[in-house]
PDB file of all heavy atoms in Angstrom:
ATOM      1  N   HIS S 427     -10.762 -66.753   7.705  1.00  0.00           N
ATOM      2  CA  HIS S 427     -11.445 -66.182   6.542  1.00  0.00           C
ATOM      3  C   HIS S 427     -12.021 -64.846   6.965  1.00  0.00           C
ATOM      4  O   HIS S 427     -12.179 -64.537   8.144  1.00  0.00           O
ATOM      5  CB  HIS S 427     -12.535 -67.121   6.002  1.00  0.00           C
ATOM      6  CG  HIS S 427     -13.472 -67.623   7.058  1.00  0.00           C
ATOM      7  ND1 HIS S 427     -14.393 -66.831   7.649  1.00  0.00           N
ATOM      8  CD2 HIS S 427     -13.601 -68.859   7.594  1.00  0.00           C
ATOM      9  CE1 HIS S 427     -15.081 -67.540   8.532  1.00  0.00           C
ATOM     10  NE2 HIS S 427     -14.619 -68.778   8.521  1.00  0.00           N
ATOM     11  N   PRO S 428     -12.362 -64.020   6.026  1.00  0.00           N
ATOM     12  CA  PRO S 428     -12.658 -62.616   6.341  1.00  0.00           C
ATOM     13  C   PRO S 428     -13.969 -62.388   7.062  1.00  0.00           C
ATOM     14  O   PRO S 428     -14.190 -61.256   7.504  1.00  0.00           O
ATOM     15  CB  PRO S 428     -12.667 -61.940   4.965  1.00  0.00           C
ATOM     16  CG  PRO S 428     -12.945 -63.031   4.008  1.00  0.00           C
ATOM     17  CD  PRO S 428     -12.337 -64.254   4.583  1.00  0.00           C
ATOM     18  N   THR S 429     -14.851 -63.383   7.215  1.00  0.00           N
ATOM     19  CA  THR S 429     -16.135 -63.103   7.861  1.00  0.00           C
ATOM     20  C   THR S 429     -16.115 -63.320   9.351  1.00  0.00           C
ATOM     21  O   THR S 429     -17.104 -63.076  10.017  1.00  0.00           O
ATOM     22  CB  THR S 429     -17.231 -63.990   7.254  1.00  0.00           C
ATOM     23  OG1 THR S 429     -16.861 -65.361   7.432  1.00  0.00           O
ATOM     24  CG2 THR S 429     -17.409 -63.679   5.795  1.00  0.00           C
ATOM     25  N   LEU S 430     -15.026 -63.867   9.895  1.00  0.00           N
ATOM     26  CA  LEU S 430     -14.989 -64.160  11.327  1.00  0.00           C
ATOM     27  C   LEU S 430     -14.407 -62.983  12.089  1.00  0.00           C
ATOM     28  O   LEU S 430     -13.385 -62.413  11.703  1.00  0.00           O
ATOM     29  CB  LEU S 430     -14.163 -65.415  11.593  1.00  0.00           C
ATOM     30  CG  LEU S 430     -14.716 -66.718  10.990  1.00  0.00           C
ATOM     31  CD1 LEU S 430     -13.818 -67.877  11.374  1.00  0.00           C
ATOM     32  CD2 LEU S 430     -16.129 -66.961  11.458  1.00  0.00           C
ATOM     33  N   VAL S 431     -15.094 -62.638  13.204  1.00  0.00           N
ATOM     34  CA  VAL S 431     -14.587 -61.583  14.067  1.00  0.00           C
ATOM     35  C   VAL S 431     -13.467 -62.129  14.937  1.00  0.00           C
ATOM     36  O   VAL S 431     -12.463 -61.465  15.188  1.00  0.00           O
ATOM     37  CB  VAL S 431     -15.725 -60.997  14.929  1.00  0.00           C
ATOM     38  CG1 VAL S 431     -15.171 -59.975  15.893  1.00  0.00           C
ATOM     39  CG2 VAL S 431     -16.783 -60.386  14.038  1.00  0.00           C
ATOM     40  N   GLU S 432     -13.649 -63.373  15.400  1.00  0.00           N
ATOM     41  CA  GLU S 432     -12.683 -63.962  16.326  1.00  0.00           C
ATOM     42  C   GLU S 432     -11.735 -64.883  15.564  1.00  0.00           C
ATOM     43  O   GLU S 432     -12.133 -65.595  14.646  1.00  0.00           O
ATOM     44  CB  GLU S 432     -13.424 -64.762  17.399  1.00  0.00           C
ATOM     45  CG  GLU S 432     -12.510 -65.309  18.483  1.00  0.00           C
ATOM     46  CD  GLU S 432     -13.274 -66.136  19.500  1.00  0.00           C
ATOM     47  OE1 GLU S 432     -14.492 -66.311  19.303  1.00  0.00           O
ATOM     48  OE2 GLU S 432     -12.659 -66.597  20.450  1.00  0.00           O
ATOM     49  N   GLU S 433     -10.484 -64.844  15.948  1.00  0.00           N
ATOM     50  CA  GLU S 433      -9.498 -65.716  15.335  1.00  0.00           C
ATOM     51  C   GLU S 433      -9.796 -67.187  15.701  1.00  0.00           C
ATOM     52  O   GLU S 433     -10.226 -67.486  16.823  1.00  0.00           O
ATOM     53  CB  GLU S 433      -8.086 -65.352  15.827  1.00  0.00           C
ATOM     54  CG  GLU S 433      -7.611 -64.007  15.358  1.00  0.00           C
ATOM     55  CD  GLU S 433      -7.290 -63.986  13.887  1.00  0.00           C
ATOM     56  OE1 GLU S 433      -7.184 -65.081  13.298  1.00  0.00           O
ATOM     57  OE2 GLU S 433      -7.174 -62.887  13.319  1.00  0.00           O
ATOM     58  N   PRO S 434      -9.556 -68.129  14.801  1.00  0.00           N
ATOM     59  CA  PRO S 434      -9.777 -69.556  15.124  1.00  0.00           C
ATOM     60  C   PRO S 434      -8.765 -70.043  16.164  1.00  0.00           C
ATOM     61  O   PRO S 434      -7.604 -69.634  16.152  1.00  0.00           O
ATOM     62  CB  PRO S 434      -9.602 -70.256  13.787  1.00  0.00           C
ATOM     63  CG  PRO S 434      -8.738 -69.340  12.994  1.00  0.00           C
ATOM     64  CD  PRO S 434      -9.110 -67.954  13.415  1.00  0.00           C
ATOM     65  N   ARG S 435      -9.291 -70.899  17.058  1.00  0.00           N
ATOM     66  CA  ARG S 435      -8.424 -71.481  18.095  1.00  0.00           C
ATOM     67  C   ARG S 435      -8.643 -73.002  18.113  1.00  0.00           C
ATOM     68  O   ARG S 435      -9.773 -73.471  18.296  1.00  0.00           O
ATOM     69  CB  ARG S 435      -8.758 -70.908  19.469  1.00  0.00           C
ATOM     70  CG  ARG S 435      -8.613 -69.393  19.559  1.00  0.00           C
ATOM     71  CD  ARG S 435      -8.609 -68.932  21.006  1.00  0.00           C
ATOM     72  NE  ARG S 435      -9.766 -69.423  21.723  1.00  0.00           N
ATOM     73  CZ  ARG S 435     -10.959 -68.823  21.776  1.00  0.00           C
ATOM     74  NH1 ARG S 435     -11.128 -67.704  21.102  1.00  0.00           N
ATOM     75  NH2 ARG S 435     -11.973 -69.316  22.465  1.00  0.00           N
ATOM     76  N   ARG S 436      -7.576 -73.767  17.914  1.00  0.00           N
ATOM     77  CA  ARG S 436      -7.676 -75.223  17.886  1.00  0.00           C
ATOM     78  C   ARG S 436      -7.289 -75.798  19.256  1.00  0.00           C
ATOM     79  O   ARG S 436      -6.361 -75.327  19.904  1.00  0.00           O
ATOM     80  CB  ARG S 436      -6.787 -75.822  16.805  1.00  0.00           C
ATOM     81  CG  ARG S 436      -7.252 -75.526  15.380  1.00  0.00           C
ATOM     82  CD  ARG S 436      -6.352 -76.229  14.377  1.00  0.00           C
ATOM     83  NE  ARG S 436      -6.768 -75.960  13.018  1.00  0.00           N
ATOM     84  CZ  ARG S 436      -7.650 -76.709  12.357  1.00  0.00           C
ATOM     85  NH1 ARG S 436      -8.205 -77.758  12.942  1.00  0.00           N
ATOM     86  NH2 ARG S 436      -7.977 -76.412  11.123  1.00  0.00           N
ATOM     87  N   ASP S 437      -8.042 -76.825  19.633  1.00  0.00           N
ATOM     88  CA  ASP S 437      -7.716 -77.539  20.853  1.00  0.00           C
ATOM     89  C   ASP S 437      -6.456 -78.374  20.608  1.00  0.00           C
ATOM     90  O   ASP S 437      -6.348 -79.064  19.589  1.00  0.00           O
ATOM     91  CB  ASP S 437      -8.887 -78.451  21.284  1.00  0.00           C
ATOM     92  CG  ASP S 437      -8.642 -79.094  22.626  1.00  0.00           C
ATOM     93  OD1 ASP S 437      -8.936 -78.424  23.647  1.00  0.00           O
ATOM     94  OD2 ASP S 437      -8.141 -80.225  22.631  1.00  0.00           O
ATOM     95  N   GLU S 438      -5.519 -78.316  21.543  1.00  0.00           N
ATOM     96  CA  GLU S 438      -4.259 -79.005  21.358  1.00  0.00           C
ATOM     97  C   GLU S 438      -4.428 -80.536  21.303  1.00  0.00           C
ATOM     98  O   GLU S 438      -3.652 -81.226  20.637  1.00  0.00           O
ATOM     99  CB  GLU S 438      -3.290 -78.631  22.475  1.00  0.00           C
ATOM    100  CG  GLU S 438      -2.902 -77.145  22.457  1.00  0.00           C
ATOM    101  CD  GLU S 438      -1.936 -76.818  23.569  1.00  0.00           C
ATOM    102  OE1 GLU S 438      -1.604 -77.749  24.339  1.00  0.00           O
ATOM    103  OE2 GLU S 438      -1.506 -75.640  23.656  1.00  0.00           O
ATOM    104  N   GLU S 439      -5.401 -81.064  22.012  1.00  0.00           N
ATOM    105  CA  GLU S 439      -5.584 -82.520  22.066  1.00  0.00           C
ATOM    106  C   GLU S 439      -6.418 -83.021  20.896  1.00  0.00           C
ATOM    107  O   GLU S 439      -6.065 -83.965  20.211  1.00  0.00           O
ATOM    108  CB  GLU S 439      -6.223 -82.921  23.385  1.00  0.00           C
ATOM    109  CG  GLU S 439      -5.354 -82.591  24.594  1.00  0.00           C
ATOM    110  CD  GLU S 439      -6.009 -83.010  25.888  1.00  0.00           C
ATOM    111  OE1 GLU S 439      -7.151 -83.524  25.821  1.00  0.00           O
ATOM    112  OE2 GLU S 439      -5.397 -82.813  26.955  1.00  0.00           O
ATOM    113  N   THR S 440      -7.582 -82.377  20.692  1.00  0.00           N
ATOM    114  CA  THR S 440      -8.501 -82.871  19.662  1.00  0.00           C
ATOM    115  C   THR S 440      -8.269 -82.227  18.308  1.00  0.00           C
ATOM    116  O   THR S 440      -8.697 -82.760  17.285  1.00  0.00           O
ATOM    117  CB  THR S 440      -9.956 -82.624  20.097  1.00  0.00           C
ATOM    118  OG1 THR S 440     -10.162 -81.209  20.214  1.00  0.00           O
ATOM    119  CG2 THR S 440     -10.222 -83.268  21.443  1.00  0.00           C
ATOM    120  N   GLY S 441      -7.641 -81.047  18.292  1.00  0.00           N
ATOM    121  CA  GLY S 441      -7.462 -80.323  17.039  1.00  0.00           C
ATOM    122  C   GLY S 441      -8.697 -79.635  16.563  1.00  0.00           C
ATOM    123  O   GLY S 441      -8.750 -79.138  15.438  1.00  0.00           O
ATOM    124  N   LEU S 442      -9.751 -79.597  17.400  1.00  0.00           N
ATOM    125  CA  LEU S 442     -11.005 -78.952  17.007  1.00  0.00           C
ATOM    126  C   LEU S 442     -10.918 -77.447  17.247  1.00  0.00           C
ATOM    127  O   LEU S 442     -10.199 -76.975  18.133  1.00  0.00           O
ATOM    128  CB  LEU S 442     -12.172 -79.546  17.793  1.00  0.00           C
ATOM    129  CG  LEU S 442     -12.445 -81.045  17.589  1.00  0.00           C
ATOM    130  CD1 LEU S 442     -13.611 -81.500  18.455  1.00  0.00           C
ATOM    131  CD2 LEU S 442     -12.717 -81.332  16.129  1.00  0.00           C
ATOM    132  N   ASP S 443     -11.676 -76.754  16.422  1.00  0.00           N
ATOM    133  CA  ASP S 443     -11.786 -75.303  16.572  1.00  0.00           C
ATOM    134  C   ASP S 443     -12.698 -75.014  17.756  1.00  0.00           C
ATOM    135  O   ASP S 443     -13.858 -75.426  17.772  1.00  0.00           O
ATOM    136  CB  ASP S 443     -12.349 -74.673  15.298  1.00  0.00           C
ATOM    137  CG  ASP S 443     -12.292 -73.150  15.336  1.00  0.00           C
ATOM    138  OD1 ASP S 443     -11.831 -72.587  16.347  1.00  0.00           O
ATOM    139  OD2 ASP S 443     -12.702 -72.520  14.334  1.00  0.00           O
ATOM    140  N   VAL S 444     -12.171 -74.330  18.743  1.00  0.00           N
ATOM    141  CA  VAL S 444     -12.955 -74.038  19.951  1.00  0.00           C
ATOM    142  C   VAL S 444     -13.312 -72.564  20.019  1.00  0.00           C
ATOM    143  O   VAL S 444     -13.677 -72.062  21.098  1.00  0.00           O
ATOM    144  CB  VAL S 444     -12.165 -74.446  21.208  1.00  0.00           C
ATOM    145  CG1 VAL S 444     -11.970 -75.951  21.267  1.00  0.00           C
ATOM    146  CG2 VAL S 444     -10.810 -73.716  21.254  1.00  0.00           C
ATOM    147  N   SER S 445     -13.251 -71.857  18.884  1.00  0.00           N
ATOM    148  CA  SER S 445     -13.627 -70.446  18.888  1.00  0.00           C
ATOM    149  C   SER S 445     -15.129 -70.303  19.052  1.00  0.00           C
ATOM    150  O   SER S 445     -15.888 -71.271  18.939  1.00  0.00           O
ATOM    151  CB  SER S 445     -13.176 -69.779  17.587  1.00  0.00           C
ATOM    152  OG  SER S 445     -13.846 -70.353  16.492  1.00  0.00           O
ATOM    153  N   TYR S 446     -15.555 -69.094  19.327  1.00  0.00           N
ATOM    154  CA  TYR S 446     -16.975 -68.839  19.541  1.00  0.00           C
ATOM    155  C   TYR S 446     -17.775 -69.204  18.310  1.00  0.00           C
ATOM    156  O   TYR S 446     -18.854 -69.786  18.402  1.00  0.00           O
ATOM    157  CB  TYR S 446     -17.171 -67.355  19.876  1.00  0.00           C
ATOM    158  CG  TYR S 446     -18.619 -66.955  20.028  1.00  0.00           C
ATOM    159  CD1 TYR S 446     -19.312 -67.236  21.212  1.00  0.00           C
ATOM    160  CD2 TYR S 446     -19.293 -66.308  18.993  1.00  0.00           C
ATOM    161  CE1 TYR S 446     -20.642 -66.868  21.347  1.00  0.00           C
ATOM    162  CE2 TYR S 446     -20.607 -65.951  19.123  1.00  0.00           C
ATOM    163  CZ  TYR S 446     -21.287 -66.230  20.306  1.00  0.00           C
ATOM    164  OH  TYR S 446     -22.605 -65.871  20.446  1.00  0.00           O
ATOM    165  N   TYR S 447     -17.237 -68.945  17.157  1.00  0.00           N
ATOM    166  CA  TYR S 447     -17.942 -69.255  15.914  1.00  0.00           C
ATOM    167  C   TYR S 447     -18.167 -70.762  15.789  1.00  0.00           C
ATOM    168  O   TYR S 447     -19.263 -71.224  15.497  1.00  0.00           O
ATOM    169  CB  TYR S 447     -17.115 -68.735  14.731  1.00  0.00           C
ATOM    170  CG  TYR S 447     -17.558 -69.243  13.386  1.00  0.00           C
ATOM    171  CD1 TYR S 447     -18.663 -68.679  12.749  1.00  0.00           C
ATOM    172  CD2 TYR S 447     -16.878 -70.275  12.751  1.00  0.00           C
ATOM    173  CE1 TYR S 447     -19.062 -69.146  11.510  1.00  0.00           C
ATOM    174  CE2 TYR S 447     -17.285 -70.753  11.514  1.00  0.00           C
ATOM    175  CZ  TYR S 447     -18.376 -70.159  10.901  1.00  0.00           C
ATOM    176  OH  TYR S 447     -18.776 -70.630   9.674  1.00  0.00           O
ATOM    177  N   ALA S 448     -17.123 -71.543  16.037  1.00  0.00           N
ATOM    178  CA  ALA S 448     -17.252 -73.003  15.921  1.00  0.00           C
ATOM    179  C   ALA S 448     -18.192 -73.560  16.985  1.00  0.00           C
ATOM    180  O   ALA S 448     -18.999 -74.469  16.714  1.00  0.00           O
ATOM    181  CB  ALA S 448     -15.877 -73.632  16.022  1.00  0.00           C
ATOM    182  N   GLN S 449     -18.093 -73.031  18.213  1.00  0.00           N
ATOM    183  CA  GLN S 449     -18.959 -73.521  19.279  1.00  0.00           C
ATOM    184  C   GLN S 449     -20.423 -73.241  18.985  1.00  0.00           C
ATOM    185  O   GLN S 449     -21.295 -74.090  19.208  1.00  0.00           O
ATOM    186  CB  GLN S 449     -18.554 -72.885  20.615  1.00  0.00           C
ATOM    187  CG  GLN S 449     -17.189 -73.318  21.120  1.00  0.00           C
ATOM    188  CD  GLN S 449     -16.792 -72.594  22.387  1.00  0.00           C
ATOM    189  OE1 GLN S 449     -17.576 -71.807  22.918  1.00  0.00           O
ATOM    190  NE2 GLN S 449     -15.603 -72.884  22.879  1.00  0.00           N
ATOM    191  N   GLN S 450     -20.711 -72.058  18.484  1.00  0.00           N
ATOM    192  CA  GLN S 450     -22.093 -71.740  18.168  1.00  0.00           C
ATOM    193  C   GLN S 450     -22.615 -72.590  17.025  1.00  0.00           C
ATOM    194  O   GLN S 450     -23.777 -73.007  17.013  1.00  0.00           O
ATOM    195  CB  GLN S 450     -22.208 -70.239  17.817  1.00  0.00           C
ATOM    196  CG  GLN S 450     -21.954 -69.301  18.989  1.00  0.00           C
ATOM    197  CD  GLN S 450     -22.952 -69.506  20.110  1.00  0.00           C
ATOM    198  OE1 GLN S 450     -24.150 -69.766  19.880  1.00  0.00           O
ATOM    199  NE2 GLN S 450     -22.474 -69.419  21.356  1.00  0.00           N
ATOM    200  N   LYS S 451     -21.771 -72.883  16.062  1.00  0.00           N
ATOM    201  CA  LYS S 451     -22.221 -73.716  14.949  1.00  0.00           C
ATOM    202  C   LYS S 451     -22.517 -75.136  15.418  1.00  0.00           C
ATOM    203  O   LYS S 451     -23.540 -75.737  15.040  1.00  0.00           O
ATOM    204  CB  LYS S 451     -21.154 -73.728  13.852  1.00  0.00           C
ATOM    205  CG  LYS S 451     -21.621 -74.386  12.561  1.00  0.00           C
ATOM    206  CD  LYS S 451     -20.623 -74.162  11.451  1.00  0.00           C
ATOM    207  CE  LYS S 451     -21.156 -74.728  10.142  1.00  0.00           C
ATOM    208  NZ  LYS S 451     -20.224 -74.526   9.021  1.00  0.00           N
TER     209      LYS S 451
END
Side-chain angles (χ1 to χ4, degrees):
H427 50 72
T429 59
L430 296 182
V431 176
E432 185 182 3
E433 293 289 346
R435 301 195 306 273
R436 291 183 180 270
D437 186 84
E438 295 180 359
E439 297 180 358
T440 63
L442 298 179
D443 188 359
V444 294
S445 64
Y446 176 79
Y447 167 79
Q449 293 176 3
Q450 292 299 323
K451 189 170 185 180

